Amino acid sequence: MDRKSLTGLALIGLIMFVWLQFMSPEKKLLKSAEAVKTEQANPQVLATTAVASPSADTFGVFAPAVAGTEQLVKVENDLFRATLSSKGATLKSLVLKKHLDGTLKPFDLITNTRNGALSLLFLTREGKKIDTRDLYFSNVTLDSVRAISGKQNYAVRYHLQIAPAQAVDITWLFSGDSYKVGYDVKLTGFASELAGNEYQLQWDGGLGYSEKDRKDEAQSVLAGAYLGGSLVKVDAAKENEVYREEQSGEAKWVAVRNKYFVAALIPGGRTEGIYLDGKRTAGNEFENYTAAVKMAVPPTGTVSDQKFSLYLGPLDYNIVKSQNAGLEKIMDFGWDWLTRPFAEFIILPVFSWMNTFVGNYGLIIIIFAFLIKLVTYPLSMASTKSMKKMSALQPVLKELQEKYKDNPAKLQSELGRIYKEAGVNPIGGCLPVVLQMPLLFAMFYVFRSSIELRQHSFLWAKDLSVPDSILDFGFSIPMYGNHIAVFPILMAVTVFVQQKITPTTQSNEQMKVMMYMFPAMMLLFFNNMPAGLGLYYLMFNIFSVAQQFYINKTTTADDMPNVTLTVPSSGGARKKNKGAGKK
C-alpha cells in the first residue's frame, strides 16, 4: 500500500468519522549483482556496433565472446513492437501499440536501451562474474524484421559457443495476439561449472514511466515477488537509499511495475530464490529496479534446460489473472482481508460485464454507481428511517437528560426503555454506513488504479484516470492542488444538499458547522483524485439525494415512534408506588 493510498484512506476514514459524529448519536546484498546506473532514457534504436576484446582476466573463458557485431531483430505482433539484440540475446525495446503515454505518444517500457533489460547472471568456478549482456551471441534466426498476427508464432534463437562441449542457447517465443513471451534457457556443459550451481535471470532497469504526473506515478512503482504464498515488495521511496530483498525458496514470479504496466518473469520450474533491488536518485522521480529469480543447475548431467514466461504489458486484471501465476497479486487493492475481496469478486467482474455492452466508461461509472446504490438501498433506507425516528425523539430525550442529569444510571435505564418502546436502535443510523465503508474503500482503490479508465474521456474530462482539470494555476495551493477540477465541486454541492434534507439528531449550531465543513473536506480531498472516482461519488450522491427526497416524501406519521412519550413526574411516581405498597 503506497503513501498516497494510506493518506487517501486516512482522509476517507476521517470524513466518515466526522460524518458519523455529526449525523448520528533490513536486507541483504546480491553477491553477483551490478549496481544499476542507467536513468530513464528516451526510446531509441541502437546502431550496429563492434567493440574490442577485453582482458581474459575479467571474463575468463568467456573473453572471446565479448568482441563481436551486434545484430538487431525487430518482432511486431498485434500488441507490441519488440527489438532484440544479439549482444546478450536481450530485449532492448518494447513499445505497446494499444497504450500511449500521457502525451498520447508511443513510449518504450524498456529504460535500459543501451544494455537491454534481460540477462543471465552467474559466477564461474574461477570467480568471474558474467552478465550475458556483455557477450555476443550468434543469431540463428536470419530475419531482421518479422511481423506476426493472431495465432501465429515466431521464435528468435541465439547461440553462444564457449567451448566444444560448452554452450548457452536462448530462445524467444512470440505469439501474434499475446503479451506473454516465452523465454527458454539451455545450458550445455555447465554442470559443476557455476559457483553454487546456480544462475540468475534478471530484469534490470526498472520500467519506463508513462504518465504526465511522474510524482503521482512514482507512488505506484515497485519491484515485487510472489514467494511462499505471500507478496514480497521493494519500494524505493526515499532518495539515495538502496532497498534490497533476497530470499530463498520457490517463487511464482518476480516483477517490476509502474502505475499501469508490468514486466514479470514467470519460471516454469522450481526456483532457488529471488532478489529485488531498488534505488531513486536525488531530484529524480524515476525509481530504478532489478528483479531476479535464482535457478539451480544440476551438478551432474550435460544439459540444463529451463523454460520461463515473460509478461510484458498492461495491468489489466483479467489479462494478468489469465497468466495463471498469481500475478494479479501485484495489483494494489488495499487490505487482503477487507477491500481486496470486494474489488476482485464484486467491483471488477461487474465493471467488466458492463463493458461488454456499454463502450463509454463514463456511462459505465454512472450505471455502476446506480447499481451500487440499488444494492445498498435497504441499508440506506434503514439508516435514514432510524435517523428520522431519533430526530423525532429528541424532545423526549432532552427532557430525560435534563431530569436525570445527576443520575447517569437512571438516565441510561430510561433511555433504554424509551428506545425499546419506540422501536428505535440508537446505532441504527451508523451501522449501515459502517457496513458500506469496505465497498467505498475498494472503489477508491479500483478507480484510482484501473487501466480501463486510462485515456478515456467523458464530457469535459479528457482522461478519467486523472483529475478533470479545467484550469491550471501554475502554482500549488496547500491541501487543494494546482488546478480546479469540476467533479469535486459538483460533488461538494450534492453533499451540501444531502445534508440539508437529511434528518439529524444534532443541534442547529453543530449542523451549521457540519453543513459547510464536510463538503469542504470532500472538495479538498477529491480535487486531486482521478476524474472517474469523482464522477462515481458525484453520481452516488445524486442518487442518494433522490432517495432522500423519496423517503422524506413517503414517510408518514405511522412510521414515526410515539413521540408523546413523557417522563412521569417524581410525585406521580411516588403516589403510584405508595398505592402499590398498600395492596
Side-chain angles (χ1 to χ4, degrees):
M1 193 180 303
D2 59 53
R3 289 166 290 173
K4 195 161 189 176
S5 296
L6 285 172
T7 303
L9 288 179
L11 287 172
I12 287 180
L14 177 62
I15 290 169
M16 291 297 181
F17 175 78
V18 174
W19 172 272
L20 293 176
Q21 288 296 313
F22 280 86
M23 299 301 290
S24 62
E26 200 148 79
K27 307 178 181 177
K28 304 180 188 108
L29 183 65
L30 181 63
K31 58 188 174 186
S32 60
E34 186 178 346
V36 177
K37 299 184 288 289
T38 307
E39 288 295 333
Q40 186 177 17
N42 293 327
Q44 58 181 356
V45 178
L46 299 181
T48 299
T49 58
V51 298
S53 176
S55 169
D57 292 340
T58 306
F59 294 95
V61 296
F62 290 88
V66 185
T69 301
E70 182 182 31
Q71 295 177 319
L72 302 180
V73 177
K74 296 182 179 181
V75 180
E76 180 175 350
N77 68 5
D78 296 335
L79 303 172
F80 59 75
R81 292 185 293 272
T83 300
L84 305 179
S85 171
S86 62
K87 185 182 179 184
T90 189
L91 180 65
K92 284 206 165 183
S93 176
L94 188 84
V95 178
L96 302 179
K97 299 170 69 173
K98 295 187 176 181
H99 299 278
L100 305 176
D101 67 8
T103 62
L104 302 182
K105 294 179 180 179
F107 71 101
D108 204 332
L109 281 176
I110 309 301
T111 64
N112 197 346
T113 55
R114 185 171 65 87
N115 296 322
L118 202 67
S119 67
L120 303 183
L121 206 65
F122 53 85
L123 189 68
T124 67
R125 188 172 53 181
E126 293 79 19
K128 308 300 181 183
K129 296 179 181 180
I130 304 299
D131 185 329
T132 54
R133 288 175 296 180
D134 295 323
L135 310 177
Y136 286 86
F137 287 68
S138 299
N139 190 348
V140 180
T141 305
L142 299 179
D143 296 330
S144 60
V145 178
R146 184 64 178 265
I148 56 176
S149 182
K151 300 302 179 183
Q152 293 178 318
N153 298 311
Y154 182 65
V156 180
R157 295 182 172 85
Y158 292 101
H159 177 76
L160 177 62
Q161 193 72 39
I162 302 165
Q166 197 172 43
V168 178
D169 289 279
I170 294 177
T171 303
W172 291 79
L173 302 169
F174 294 90
S175 299
D177 58 354
S178 177
Y179 290 106
K180 185 176 182 180
V181 178
Y183 184 86
D184 296 349
V185 177
K186 181 180 178 182
L187 302 179
T188 304
F190 278 87
S192 300
E193 292 295 317
L194 304 183
N197 291 318
E198 70 176 27
Y199 68 89
Q200 294 183 169
L201 175 64
Q202 73 167 16
W203 180 278
D204 177 27
L207 211 59
Y209 285 13
S210 59
E211 307 308 297
K212 284 184 179 180
D213 190 343
R214 290 169 61 91
K215 191 171 184 178
D216 174 72
E217 184 169 14
Q219 301 293 331
S220 303
V221 179
L222 56 84
Y226 196 54
L227 183 76
S230 62
L231 183 64
V232 180
K233 295 191 297 185
V234 165
D235 184 5
K238 296 181 181 179
E239 298 178 348
N240 296 329
E241 289 192 20
V242 177
Y243 296 79
R244 288 175 180 166
E245 187 71 46
E246 187 176 14
Q247 294 188 20
S248 300
E250 188 168 359
K252 291 282 188 178
W253 51 261
V254 295
V256 174
R257 62 159 290 180
N258 58 23
K259 187 172 185 178
Y260 293 115
F261 304 96
V262 64
L265 313 181
I266 306 171
R270 181 180 178 82
T271 68
E272 295 299 303
I274 59 97
Y275 172 79
L276 306 174
D277 178 283
K279 185 177 181 180
R280 181 162 73 92
T281 57
N284 194 333
E285 296 297 339
F286 179 69
E287 297 176 10
N288 209 333
Y289 289 100
T290 298
V293 286
K294 299 179 181 181
M295 307 300 298
V297 176
T300 58
T302 305
V303 178
S304 171
D305 195 351
Q306 293 170 324
K307 300 182 183 299
F308 302 85
S309 295
L310 311 178
Y311 176 81
L312 309 168
L315 280 168
D316 182 301
Y317 179 82
N318 293 325
I319 299 177
V320 169
K321 187 176 177 61
S322 68
Q323 304 306 307
N324 298 318
L327 186 56
E328 68 276 6
K329 299 295 183 182
I330 202 170
M331 301 180 71
D332 185 9
F333 294 134
W335 297 295
D336 288 344
W337 53 273
L338 183 63
T339 57
R340 192 175 190 96
F342 280 90
E344 287 191 296
F345 304 121
I346 298 177
I347 299 172
L348 287 170
V350 175
F351 204 73
S352 298
W353 170 70
M354 286 194 296
N355 187 224
T356 60
F357 55 86
V358 180
N360 186 286
Y361 281 92
L363 294 177
I364 289 175
I365 291 173
I366 294 174
I367 297 172
F368 195 84
F370 178 76
L371 291 177
I372 296 299
K373 193 62 191 175
L374 201 63
V375 170
T376 59
Y377 176 78
L379 293 175
S380 300
M381 176 69 81
S383 174
T384 302
K385 285 190 174 182
S386 178
M387 291 170 67
K388 287 180 74 70
K389 290 179 179 180
M390 286 296 296
S391 179
L393 285 175
Q394 285 309 298
V396 176
L397 299 181
K398 287 181 179 180
E399 186 179 349
L400 277 175
Q401 291 168 354
E402 181 63 27
K403 181 173 182 59
Y404 296 112
K405 60 184 179 181
D406 297 325
N407 190 348
K410 184 64 175 178
L411 174 61
Q412 291 302 317
S413 175
E414 289 297 320
L415 287 175
R417 177 179 63 82
I418 288 183
Y419 289 151
K420 183 177 180 180
E421 292 179 4
V424 173
N425 185 347
I427 64 170
C430 306
L431 189 59
V433 177
V434 172
L435 293 176
Q436 293 180 58
M437 286 178 65
L439 179 61
L440 296 178
F441 287 163
M443 293 297 299
F444 168 78
Y445 278 105
V446 171
F447 280 84
R448 180 176 174 271
S449 60
S450 176
I451 195 172
E452 286 83 359
L453 302 183
R454 185 175 182 266
Q455 296 178 356
H456 283 272
S457 62
F458 181 70
L459 299 177
W460 57 83
K462 297 179 181 179
D463 187 342
L464 289 171
S465 68
V466 298
D468 58 316
S469 172
I470 60 168
L471 177 64
D472 293 331
F473 301 140
F475 58 90
S476 182
I477 300 175
M479 297 182 65
Y480 184 68
N482 60 1
H483 61 266
I484 295 176
V486 179
F487 285 140
I489 296 175
L490 297 178
M491 182 177 58
V493 173
T494 60
V495 170
F496 180 84
V497 173
Q498 185 178 4
Q499 289 183 125
K500 197 78 173 175
I501 64 174
T502 301
T504 178
T505 62
Q506 302 297 329
S507 67
N508 290 334
E509 285 303 317
Q510 290 174 311
M511 278 307 301
K512 284 180 181 179
V513 174
M514 188 60 185
M515 200 72 68
Y516 296 98
M517 186 177 71
F518 189 62
M521 291 173 61
M522 299 292 281
L523 174 61
L524 292 174
F525 175 63
F526 279 93
N527 191 63
N528 294 296
M529 289 292 105
L533 189 64
L535 175 61
Y536 169 78
Y537 280 106
L538 168 64
M539 297 309 303
F540 190 86
N541 286 345
I542 289 176
F543 296 138
S544 297
V545 169
Q547 173 187 278
Q548 190 63 55
F549 270 119
Y550 172 77
I551 293 174
N552 291 347
K553 203 76 173 175
T554 57
T555 301
T556 63
D558 294 336
D559 298 318
M560 292 293 98
N562 185 4
V563 295
T564 59
L565 287 172
T566 58
V567 182
S569 64
S570 57
R574 283 194 299 269
K575 290 178 182 178
K576 183 176 180 180
N577 290 336
K578 188 179 291 184
K582 287 182 179 180
K583 287 182 182 179

